[in-house]
Amino acid sequence: MSEGAETPIRVLIVDDQALMRAGFRALLDAEDGIEVVGEAANGREGLELARLHTPDIALVDVQMPVMTGIEATRAIAGDPLLGGVHVVILTNYGLDEYVFDALRAGAAGFLLKDTEPAELLQAVRVAARGDALLSPAITRRLIGEFVARPPDRTTAPGFETLTRREREVSALAARGLTNEEIAAHMVISPFTAKTHISRAMIKLGARDRAQLVVFAYESGLVTPRER
């Protein structure tokens, strides 16, 4: 890496299909600014490699032998030493129960395995920043499905400590708005919007924006709209 170059986004691929892993590796390794640091064939291997390499992104298949993607996600999210690892769930099936369970387990978002290469690369970069579920379009689609079948309502620890502004930005984020859209809605700067969201995430113990969305709906801060 040349002097002054940015640190590459480090990616771990966890999938029981060797051909799928090879395809993802070839695509990601060919891209400037992204580096594949390891491959695993099941969730347990993925967890071990995550602890070894502490990647920025773990692309994790849902259904795998030995340890499922959801179990691996829960283990990664629950490990304080892996707080900087953003799990992106890989699925063949779109928005199904596996995806919702994975988000509640601590995943940063999801990708369909047949997604376009450019969308995959963009998703990796966005997820690495931790400032969006994946993209606004995917966020809104996910929310539409998520709120159609809300879970049992629970209040996240720290919810009562949120200020009025922090609750407002959290609710807008849960509606799928970007920082720029939140800023325009509230007539504040994007930086201020991001600051409010960051403080809300810290108080709620949310690893990323995806968990903030989940907490917002599960706590009742945002309620499902009629569809």
Side-chain angles (χ1 to χ4, degrees):
M1 185 182 302
S2 62
E3 185 177 351
E6 293 185 2
T7 302
I9 298 170
R10 304 169 74 252
V11 180
L12 170 65
I13 302 170
V14 187
D15 195 303
D16 61 332
Q17 298 180 21
L19 186 61
M20 188 64 66
R21 295 197 307 271
F24 280 126
R25 175 182 276 276
L27 174 64
L28 294 169
D29 273 343
E31 187 71 9
D32 290 339
I34 298 178
E35 174 189 2
V36 176
V37 296
E39 297 180 26
N42 60 63
R44 183 172 296 168
E45 291 179 4
L47 177 59
E48 292 172 354
L49 288 179
R51 288 170 173 162
L52 178 64
H53 297 294
T54 55
D56 302 299
I57 297 292
L59 297 176
V60 179
D61 187 22
V62 169
Q63 295 178 300
M64 293 181 292
V66 185
M67 177 185 281
T68 69
I70 293 173
E71 291 169 336
T73 298
R74 189 174 291 112
I76 290 172
D79 190 332
L81 298 178
L82 301 179
V85 180
H86 301 280
V87 177
V88 176
I89 293 295
L90 300 170
T91 176
N92 287 315
Y93 309 107
L95 295 165
D96 56 20
E97 287 299 334
Y98 293 114
V99 172
F100 303 114
D101 289 345
L103 286 173
R104 294 186 187 111
F110 76 99
L111 276 176
L112 295 177
K113 286 189 175 182
D114 62 356
T115 191
E116 292 295 325
E119 293 178 2
L120 170 64
L121 295 172
Q122 176 64 10
V124 165
R125 292 191 174 93
V126 172
R129 294 197 302 266
D131 61 358
L133 187 56
L134 279 183
S135 71
I138 293 177
T139 302
R140 293 184 179 112
R141 180 183 168 198
L142 174 65
I143 288 168
E145 294 291 331
F146 182 79
V147 301
R149 39 183 153 175
D152 295 334
R153 181 163 297 181
T154 57
T155 301
F159 180 80
E160 68 282 352
T161 67
L162 296 184
T163 66
R164 180 180 61 82
R165 280 294 209 186
E166 289 163 356
R167 293 188 184 210
E168 186 175 357
V169 296
S170 297
L172 292 172
R175 292 294 187 196
L177 273 64
T178 65
N179 289 344
E180 289 72 21
E181 290 169 337
I182 291 172
H185 181 87
M186 297 179 63
V187 195
I188 57 178
S189 71
F191 176 79
T192 300
K194 185 174 182 179
T195 299
H196 284 316
I197 289 175
S198 296
R199 288 175 179 168
M201 287 170 55
I202 291 171
K203 289 181 179 180
L204 294 174
R207 286 167 57 89
D208 48 40
R209 202 180 184 104
Q211 278 205 312
L212 182 64
V213 170
V214 173
F215 289 158
Y217 280 102
E218 291 188 334
S219 66
L221 180 62
V222 179
T223 56
R225 292 172 174 168
E226 292 296 326
R227 304 189 69 198

